[in-house]
mmCIF file of all heavy atoms in Angstrom:
data_model
loop_
_atom_site.group_PDB
_atom_site.id
_atom_site.type_symbol
_atom_site.label_atom_id
_atom_site.label_comp_id
_atom_site.label_asym_id
_atom_site.label_seq_id
_atom_site.Cartn_x
_atom_site.Cartn_y
_atom_site.Cartn_z
ATOM 1 N N ILE A 11 48.775 70.436 98.853
ATOM 2 C CA ILE A 11 49.283 71.828 98.760
ATOM 3 C C ILE A 11 50.830 71.872 98.807
ATOM 4 O O ILE A 11 51.443 72.575 97.949
ATOM 5 C CB ILE A 11 48.710 72.580 99.905
ATOM 6 C CG1 ILE A 11 47.207 72.744 99.715
ATOM 7 C CG2 ILE A 11 49.314 73.988 100.045
ATOM 8 C CD1 ILE A 11 46.435 73.268 100.972
ATOM 9 N N GLU A 12 51.474 71.139 99.680
ATOM 10 C CA GLU A 12 52.970 71.154 99.780
ATOM 11 C C GLU A 12 53.486 70.628 98.506
ATOM 12 O O GLU A 12 54.557 71.179 97.993
ATOM 13 C CB GLU A 12 53.386 70.349 101.004
ATOM 14 C CG GLU A 12 52.947 71.092 102.285
ATOM 15 C CD GLU A 12 53.173 70.216 103.605
ATOM 16 O OE1 GLU A 12 53.705 69.087 103.424
ATOM 17 O OE2 GLU A 12 52.735 70.644 104.661
ATOM 18 N N ARG A 13 53.072 69.520 97.963
ATOM 19 C CA ARG A 13 53.688 68.968 96.809
ATOM 20 C C ARG A 13 53.471 69.896 95.564
ATOM 21 O O ARG A 13 54.333 70.147 94.810
ATOM 22 C CB ARG A 13 52.958 67.652 96.454
ATOM 23 C CG ARG A 13 53.585 66.958 95.248
ATOM 24 C CD ARG A 13 53.013 65.556 95.090
ATOM 25 N NE ARG A 13 53.752 64.809 94.049
ATOM 26 C CZ ARG A 13 54.397 63.747 94.160
ATOM 27 N NH1 ARG A 13 54.404 63.115 95.374
ATOM 28 N NH2 ARG A 13 54.952 63.130 93.162
ATOM 29 N N SER A 14 52.289 70.562 95.445
ATOM 30 C CA SER A 14 52.059 71.533 94.426
ATOM 31 C C SER A 14 52.961 72.718 94.458
ATOM 32 O O SER A 14 53.403 73.151 93.489
ATOM 33 C CB SER A 14 50.601 71.993 94.542
ATOM 34 O OG SER A 14 49.672 70.954 94.376
ATOM 35 N N GLN A 15 53.306 73.123 95.697
ATOM 36 C CA GLN A 15 54.224 74.253 95.836
ATOM 37 C C GLN A 15 55.608 73.890 95.412
ATOM 38 O O GLN A 15 56.339 74.569 94.749
ATOM 39 C CB GLN A 15 54.213 74.801 97.307
ATOM 40 C CG GLN A 15 52.940 75.464 97.680
ATOM 41 C CD GLN A 15 52.875 75.796 99.174
ATOM 42 O OE1 GLN A 15 53.359 75.003 100.027
ATOM 43 N NE2 GLN A 15 52.293 76.990 99.462
ATOM 44 N N THR A 16 56.019 72.613 95.726
ATOM 45 C CA THR A 16 57.271 72.105 95.401
ATOM 46 C C THR A 16 57.426 72.028 93.928
ATOM 47 O O THR A 16 58.491 72.273 93.314
ATOM 48 C CB THR A 16 57.498 70.680 96.033
ATOM 49 O OG1 THR A 16 57.468 70.749 97.486
ATOM 50 C CG2 THR A 16 58.795 70.095 95.597
ATOM 51 N N LEU A 17 56.303 71.632 93.244
ATOM 52 C CA LEU A 17 56.281 71.483 91.767
ATOM 53 C C LEU A 17 56.232 72.883 91.055
ATOM 54 O O LEU A 17 56.323 72.960 89.845
ATOM 55 C CB LEU A 17 55.084 70.595 91.383
ATOM 56 C CG LEU A 17 55.161 69.134 91.740
ATOM 57 C CD1 LEU A 17 53.850 68.510 91.483
ATOM 58 C CD2 LEU A 17 56.284 68.526 91.017
ATOM 59 N N GLY A 18 56.016 73.971 91.876
ATOM 60 C CA GLY A 18 55.956 75.240 91.257
ATOM 61 C C GLY A 18 54.560 75.623 90.640
ATOM 62 O O GLY A 18 54.432 76.467 89.872
ATOM 63 N N TRP A 19 53.560 74.870 90.968
ATOM 64 C CA TRP A 19 52.178 75.111 90.555
ATOM 65 C C TRP A 19 51.730 76.368 91.128
ATOM 66 O O TRP A 19 52.034 76.788 92.227
ATOM 67 C CB TRP A 19 51.295 74.051 90.923
ATOM 68 C CG TRP A 19 51.471 72.682 90.181
ATOM 69 C CD1 TRP A 19 52.477 72.352 89.342
ATOM 70 C CD2 TRP A 19 50.694 71.528 90.264
ATOM 71 N NE1 TRP A 19 52.392 71.059 88.865
ATOM 72 C CE2 TRP A 19 51.285 70.504 89.485
ATOM 73 C CE3 TRP A 19 49.539 71.211 91.000
ATOM 74 C CZ2 TRP A 19 50.800 69.248 89.276
ATOM 75 C CZ3 TRP A 19 48.983 69.927 90.967
ATOM 76 C CH2 TRP A 19 49.622 68.969 90.079
ATOM 77 N N ARG A 20 50.930 77.209 90.336
ATOM 78 C CA ARG A 20 50.387 78.521 90.743
ATOM 79 C C ARG A 20 49.204 78.408 91.631
ATOM 80 O O ARG A 20 48.908 79.337 92.376
ATOM 81 C CB ARG A 20 50.103 79.308 89.533
ATOM 82 C CG ARG A 20 51.285 79.500 88.509
ATOM 83 C CD ARG A 20 52.231 80.466 89.180
ATOM 84 N NE ARG A 20 53.325 80.691 88.240
ATOM 85 C CZ ARG A 20 53.628 81.842 87.768
ATOM 86 N NH1 ARG A 20 52.947 82.891 88.085
ATOM 87 N NH2 ARG A 20 54.648 81.975 86.892
ATOM 88 N N ALA A 21 48.380 77.339 91.567
ATOM 89 C CA ALA A 21 47.150 77.333 92.288
ATOM 90 C C ALA A 21 46.665 75.857 92.336
ATOM 91 O O ALA A 21 47.145 75.029 91.507
ATOM 92 C CB ALA A 21 46.072 78.176 91.640
ATOM 93 N N LEU A 22 45.784 75.562 93.206
ATOM 94 C CA LEU A 22 44.987 74.309 93.223
ATOM 95 C C LEU A 22 43.511 74.719 93.207
ATOM 96 O O LEU A 22 43.098 75.663 93.879
ATOM 97 C CB LEU A 22 45.235 73.557 94.547
ATOM 98 C CG LEU A 22 46.465 72.669 94.552
ATOM 99 C CD1 LEU A 22 46.662 71.980 95.999
ATOM 100 C CD2 LEU A 22 46.361 71.501 93.564
ATOM 101 N N GLU A 23 42.757 73.930 92.348
ATOM 102 C CA GLU A 23 41.352 74.247 92.130
ATOM 103 C C GLU A 23 40.628 72.897 92.456
ATOM 104 O O GLU A 23 41.162 71.861 92.285
ATOM 105 C CB GLU A 23 41.063 74.805 90.846
ATOM 106 C CG GLU A 23 41.736 76.153 90.589
ATOM 107 C CD GLU A 23 41.448 76.753 89.197
ATOM 108 O OE1 GLU A 23 41.432 75.853 88.204
ATOM 109 O OE2 GLU A 23 41.427 77.879 89.204
ATOM 110 N N LEU A 24 39.328 73.048 92.838
ATOM 111 C CA LEU A 24 38.519 71.870 92.954
ATOM 112 C C LEU A 24 37.074 72.282 92.940
ATOM 113 O O LEU A 24 36.792 73.540 92.878
ATOM 114 C CB LEU A 24 38.805 71.177 94.336
ATOM 115 C CG LEU A 24 38.655 71.939 95.615
ATOM 116 C CD1 LEU A 24 37.395 72.303 96.136
ATOM 117 C CD2 LEU A 24 39.562 71.225 96.669
ATOM 118 N N GLU A 25 36.142 71.413 92.931
ATOM 119 C CA GLU A 25 34.755 71.590 93.022
ATOM 120 C C GLU A 25 34.128 70.852 94.134
ATOM 121 O O GLU A 25 34.691 69.837 94.597
ATOM 122 C CB GLU A 25 34.068 71.211 91.775
ATOM 123 C CG GLU A 25 33.971 69.708 91.467
ATOM 124 C CD GLU A 25 33.292 69.290 90.165
ATOM 125 O OE1 GLU A 25 32.983 70.186 89.350
ATOM 126 O OE2 GLU A 25 33.101 68.097 89.917
ATOM 127 N N VAL A 26 32.975 71.393 94.624
ATOM 128 C CA VAL A 26 32.239 70.722 95.740
ATOM 129 C C VAL A 26 30.910 70.595 95.260
ATOM 130 O O VAL A 26 30.207 71.508 94.757
ATOM 131 C CB VAL A 26 32.308 71.620 97.035
ATOM 132 C CG1 VAL A 26 31.520 70.943 98.088
ATOM 133 C CG2 VAL A 26 33.685 71.880 97.449
ATOM 134 N N VAL A 27 30.373 69.321 95.420
ATOM 135 C CA VAL A 27 29.021 69.125 94.977
ATOM 136 C C VAL A 27 28.100 69.804 96.095
ATOM 137 O O VAL A 27 28.330 69.808 97.205
ATOM 138 C CB VAL A 27 28.697 67.477 95.113
ATOM 139 C CG1 VAL A 27 27.268 67.235 94.855
ATOM 140 C CG2 VAL A 27 29.630 66.744 94.095
ATOM 141 N N GLU A 28 27.023 70.392 95.529
ATOM 142 C CA GLU A 28 26.101 71.112 96.425
ATOM 143 C C GLU A 28 25.557 70.183 97.427
ATOM 144 O O GLU A 28 25.284 69.019 97.171
ATOM 145 C CB GLU A 28 24.964 71.665 95.549
ATOM 146 C CG GLU A 28 25.302 72.851 94.723
ATOM 147 C CD GLU A 28 24.085 73.548 94.040
ATOM 148 O OE1 GLU A 28 23.073 73.592 94.770
ATOM 149 O OE2 GLU A 28 24.332 73.998 92.927
ATOM 150 N N GLY A 29 25.453 70.672 98.638
ATOM 151 C CA GLY A 29 24.988 69.890 99.766
ATOM 152 C C GLY A 29 26.074 69.209 100.582
ATOM 153 O O GLY A 29 25.897 68.584 101.589
ATOM 154 N N HIS A 30 27.359 69.313 100.154
ATOM 155 C CA HIS A 30 28.492 68.697 100.788
ATOM 156 C C HIS A 30 29.244 69.827 101.625
ATOM 157 O O HIS A 30 30.429 70.094 101.380
ATOM 158 C CB HIS A 30 29.404 68.054 99.874
ATOM 159 C CG HIS A 30 28.904 66.824 99.301
ATOM 160 N ND1 HIS A 30 29.613 66.015 98.481
ATOM 161 C CD2 HIS A 30 27.702 66.096 99.556
ATOM 162 C CE1 HIS A 30 28.828 64.995 98.054
ATOM 163 N NE2 HIS A 30 27.724 65.029 98.793
ATOM 164 N N GLU A 31 28.518 70.462 102.596
ATOM 165 C CA GLU A 31 29.036 71.555 103.386
ATOM 166 C C GLU A 31 30.212 71.131 104.179
ATOM 167 O O GLU A 31 31.137 71.850 104.485
ATOM 168 C CB GLU A 31 27.924 72.195 104.250
ATOM 169 C CG GLU A 31 27.149 73.250 103.480
ATOM 170 C CD GLU A 31 26.255 72.619 102.452
ATOM 171 O OE1 GLU A 31 25.766 71.508 102.505
ATOM 172 O OE2 GLU A 31 26.059 73.384 101.453
ATOM 173 N N ARG A 32 30.179 69.821 104.645
ATOM 174 C CA ARG A 32 31.293 69.393 105.440
ATOM 175 C C ARG A 32 32.657 69.314 104.624
ATOM 176 O O ARG A 32 33.681 69.788 105.147
ATOM 177 C CB ARG A 32 31.005 67.907 105.902
ATOM 178 C CG ARG A 32 32.002 67.402 106.887
ATOM 179 C CD ARG A 32 31.549 66.075 107.532
ATOM 180 N NE ARG A 32 32.623 65.458 108.208
ATOM 181 C CZ ARG A 32 32.644 64.202 108.619
ATOM 182 N NH1 ARG A 32 31.757 63.386 108.278
ATOM 183 N NH2 ARG A 32 33.699 63.727 109.276
ATOM 184 N N ALA A 33 32.499 68.901 103.372
ATOM 185 C CA ALA A 33 33.688 69.019 102.522
ATOM 186 C C ALA A 33 34.057 70.438 102.221
ATOM 187 O O ALA A 33 35.386 70.743 102.264
ATOM 188 C CB ALA A 33 33.402 68.244 101.256
ATOM 189 N N ALA A 34 33.146 71.309 102.027
ATOM 190 C CA ALA A 34 33.467 72.744 101.639
ATOM 191 C C ALA A 34 34.136 73.359 102.905
ATOM 192 O O ALA A 34 35.110 74.097 102.742
ATOM 193 C CB ALA A 34 32.210 73.461 101.387
ATOM 194 N N ALA A 35 33.761 72.983 104.118
ATOM 195 C CA ALA A 35 34.350 73.568 105.251
ATOM 196 C C ALA A 35 35.773 73.057 105.422
ATOM 197 O O ALA A 35 36.652 73.909 105.765
ATOM 198 C CB ALA A 35 33.534 73.182 106.549
ATOM 199 N N LEU A 36 36.008 71.864 105.039
ATOM 200 C CA LEU A 36 37.398 71.340 105.042
ATOM 201 C C LEU A 36 38.327 72.094 104.153
ATOM 202 O O LEU A 36 39.413 72.540 104.477
ATOM 203 C CB LEU A 36 37.381 69.789 104.747
ATOM 204 C CG LEU A 36 38.790 69.183 104.437
ATOM 205 C CD1 LEU A 36 39.561 69.103 105.745
ATOM 206 C CD2 LEU A 36 38.612 67.752 103.866
ATOM 207 N N TYR A 37 37.841 72.309 103.016
ATOM 208 C CA TYR A 37 38.633 73.026 101.981
ATOM 209 C C TYR A 37 38.866 74.399 102.391
ATOM 210 O O TYR A 37 39.960 74.977 102.233
ATOM 211 C CB TYR A 37 37.878 73.014 100.631
ATOM 212 C CG TYR A 37 37.574 71.619 100.074
ATOM 213 C CD1 TYR A 37 36.380 71.288 99.439
ATOM 214 C CD2 TYR A 37 38.502 70.555 100.279
ATOM 215 C CE1 TYR A 37 36.124 70.054 98.955
ATOM 216 C CE2 TYR A 37 38.233 69.262 99.865
ATOM 217 C CZ TYR A 37 37.058 69.072 99.174
ATOM 218 O OH TYR A 37 36.757 67.799 98.698
ATOM 219 N N GLN A 38 37.942 75.133 102.909
ATOM 220 C CA GLN A 38 38.082 76.514 103.429
ATOM 221 C C GLN A 38 39.142 76.530 104.577
ATOM 222 O O GLN A 38 39.929 77.513 104.596
ATOM 223 C CB GLN A 38 36.796 77.116 103.888
ATOM 224 C CG GLN A 38 35.871 77.272 102.648
ATOM 225 C CD GLN A 38 34.460 77.836 103.070
ATOM 226 O OE1 GLN A 38 33.906 77.372 104.046
ATOM 227 N NE2 GLN A 38 33.924 78.725 102.133
ATOM 228 N N ARG A 39 39.186 75.585 105.412
ATOM 229 C CA ARG A 39 40.136 75.443 106.447
ATOM 230 C C ARG A 39 41.543 75.439 105.965
ATOM 231 O O ARG A 39 42.490 75.749 106.615
ATOM 232 C CB ARG A 39 39.867 74.310 107.421
ATOM 233 C CG ARG A 39 38.767 74.526 108.371
ATOM 234 C CD ARG A 39 38.735 73.526 109.475
ATOM 235 N NE ARG A 39 38.788 72.121 109.094
ATOM 236 C CZ ARG A 39 37.665 71.380 108.813
ATOM 237 N NH1 ARG A 39 36.447 71.969 108.961
ATOM 238 N NH2 ARG A 39 37.769 70.124 108.473
#
């Protein structure tokens, strides 16, 4: 996130495989 902001990127996007709630919770945090 910090590097993307430094580069002037507008957003970061990703996907989560269904059933990987632990990973989804990490991303939401």
Side-chain angles (χ1 to χ4, degrees):
I11 290 167
E12 291 169 8
R13 186 175 185 121
S14 299
Q15 289 171 325
T16 299
L17 293 170
W19 291 5
R20 303 288 183 121
L22 274 174
E23 297 177 326
L24 52 78
E25 69 181 8
V26 180
V27 175
E28 286 189 39
H30 287 179
E31 276 66 31
R32 186 174 174 196
L36 170 67
Y37 303 140
Q38 289 173 327
R39 285 194 304 273

